[in-house]
Amino acid sequence: MPANLASIRERARVLLQGICHVCPVCDGRRCPTGVPGMGGIGTGAAFRNNIAALAAYQVNLRVLHDRKDQNLGLRLFGQKLAFPILGAAVAGARVNFQGRLAEAELARAFVQGAAEAGSLACTGDGPVPELIDAGLQAIAGAGGRGIPVIKPREDTEIINLIRRAEAAGAPAVAIDVDAAGLVNMTRAGQLVEPKTVAQIAGLARGTSLPLILKGIMTVADARAAVDGGAAAIVVSNHGGRALDHTPGTAAVLPAIAAAVGEKLIVLADGGVRSGVDVLKMLALGARAVLVGRPLAIAALGGGPAGVKLQLEALADDLAVAMRLTGCGDLGDIGPQVLCGQYLDFVRSKLSTLAK
């Protein structure tokens, strides 16, 4: 098995030939119509916007301070995590990766690799049962160290899948509400739909697990999630794979976090490629981040060991970024570490919407 990230990426490049270029900078420019595959939907603008929104912020270098030791640990959904970086849900190996990795192997790589690194990974759902089955089996096999993400199906189907998540020992369960328009589900004859506040409330009451809503991109939807009793949200545009021309998540995260961040847990994904990107998302109001494409490449090229190595590399990079911005622990990270074109907006939103 490859022993370093360079060899893992090279192995993944060979396995993914014709699907993903495994670019040195994963920014969507060479795969604008890669669905199925690794790219964004339509023009790929939403994928690229995630990268651009993060790049619009710069980081203030600070080295005259006493924060010599960096503590990246936190508790999330009752779990002790080594760092605030989780695996995002990546599924559909038969379609997206043309079967070059079995669904069960993909799910296990994410869940087991994240667990061994001291974190959690999400698992996916889709039009064929093997996707949700593989994820739940991987979670059960890792002692419950994973979060299943369920499509916004009919409520009775969601409850049935939540029961299976409970049985697998999952610490939380998620619904990727931004999958309400996915054609691969409707073409397979499976209903996916937008959810009302009343529906979310019914689902939240139907389980003792924290309910996470993934795919929140506006303050209005974030407040609706609060009203529905969600325990957490993920600010996400589905990796640019749901709706073309949506903004990058880092552009909308500050307003959402300021509006609801005291009422539920705010997570974020979209374009995170380095520990500095993690730092930026945390400074903008996220409690933790989810990472998808880099871990998918690591899983293809190195299995669970590859995922573990990629997560640990991101965490190491985050620790350096924290030290060089004067942050000793996650609680020190705030808007003061940032500069850039959105900074005045961030500060104004944090001071007004949070009131």
Side-chain angles (χ1 to χ4, degrees):
M1 186 61 63
N4 57 64
L5 286 178
S7 58
I8 286 169
R9 288 176 60 83
E10 184 55 39
R11 184 168 187 266
R13 183 178 291 108
V14 173
L15 289 172
L16 290 169
Q17 189 171 5
I19 300 172
C20 173
H21 299 287
V22 190
C23 299
V25 178
C26 179
D27 57 11
R29 294 187 182 278
R30 295 185 67 188
C31 53
T33 56
V35 179
M38 295 282 277
I41 197 168
T43 68
F47 180 178
R48 296 192 299 274
N49 287 346
N50 280 336
I51 305 295
L54 275 168
Y57 297 97
Q58 289 82 52
V59 180
N60 288 319
L61 176 67
R62 285 197 59 223
V63 291
L64 301 181
H65 57 77
D66 62 357
R67 299 295 194 176
K68 299 178 181 180
D69 299 313
Q70 279 60 53
N71 175 16
L72 278 62
L74 73 160
R75 290 192 69 84
L76 200 62
F77 309 122
Q79 305 290 305
K80 184 178 180 181
L81 305 186
F83 42 74
I85 311 166
L86 287 68
V90 176
R94 184 179 301 179
V95 174
N96 291 316
F97 304 132
Q98 298 179 11
R100 298 178 195 183
L101 184 71
E103 194 68 41
E105 293 178 22
L106 178 63
R108 181 177 176 275
F110 265 70
V111 173
Q112 191 66 39
E116 291 177 3
S119 188
L120 293 169
C122 298
T123 62
D125 184 15
V128 292
E130 71 172 335
L131 275 67
I132 192 74
D133 291 348
L136 291 172
Q137 289 165 8
I139 291 169
R145 295 285 292 189
I147 300 171
V149 182
I150 301 168
K151 295 295 180 224
R153 303 168 175 273
E154 292 180 304
D155 293 355
T156 54
E157 289 189 56
I158 293 175
I159 288 294
N160 288 338
L161 292 174
I162 287 175
R163 294 289 173 265
R164 294 181 60 191
E166 293 168 345
V173 65
I175 303 170
D176 53 344
V177 290
D178 54 356
L182 290 187
V183 295
N184 65 336
M185 294 292 290
T186 55
R187 285 174 180 167
Q190 300 186 42
L191 173 69
V192 286
E193 61 181 10
K195 296 295 182 183
T196 66
V197 171
Q199 285 178 293
I200 294 300
L203 294 169
R205 288 194 302 267
T207 180
S208 60
L209 296 179
L211 179 65
I212 307 165
L213 300 183
K214 181 177 180 291
I216 302 301
M217 287 290 288
T218 64
V219 169
D221 270 4
R223 286 174 171 156
V226 172
D227 293 341
I233 58 173
V234 183
V235 179
S236 171
N237 66 6
H238 211 91
R241 295 166 68 84
L243 179 64
D244 204 359
H245 297 290
T246 53
T249 55
V252 301
L253 173 59
I256 291 171
V260 302
E262 297 299 318
K263 299 172 183 176
L264 44 61
I265 296 168
V266 177
L267 309 175
D269 76 4
V272 173
R273 302 291 183 265
S274 69
V276 176
D277 288 339
V278 176
L279 181 81
K280 291 178 182 182
M281 288 290 205
L282 300 182
L284 296 171
R287 182 88 61 89
V289 305
L290 281 63
V291 177
R293 288 178 177 90
L295 293 191
I297 290 168
L300 266 291
V307 170
K308 177 177 183 289
L309 196 59
Q310 180 64 80
L311 283 170
E312 290 174 341
L314 289 169
D316 289 346
D317 195 26
L318 172 60
V320 171
M322 289 172 61
R323 173 173 283 203
L324 294 180
T325 54
C327 301
D329 56 40
L330 301 182
D332 291 335
I333 302 173
Q336 82 283 353
V337 309
L338 299 177
C339 57
Q341 69 181 60
Y342 296 131
L343 188 57
D344 290 341
F345 170 78
V346 172
R347 286 174 170 160
S348 67
K349 290 299 182 183
L350 288 174
S351 64
T352 59
L353 288 177
K355 293 180 180 179

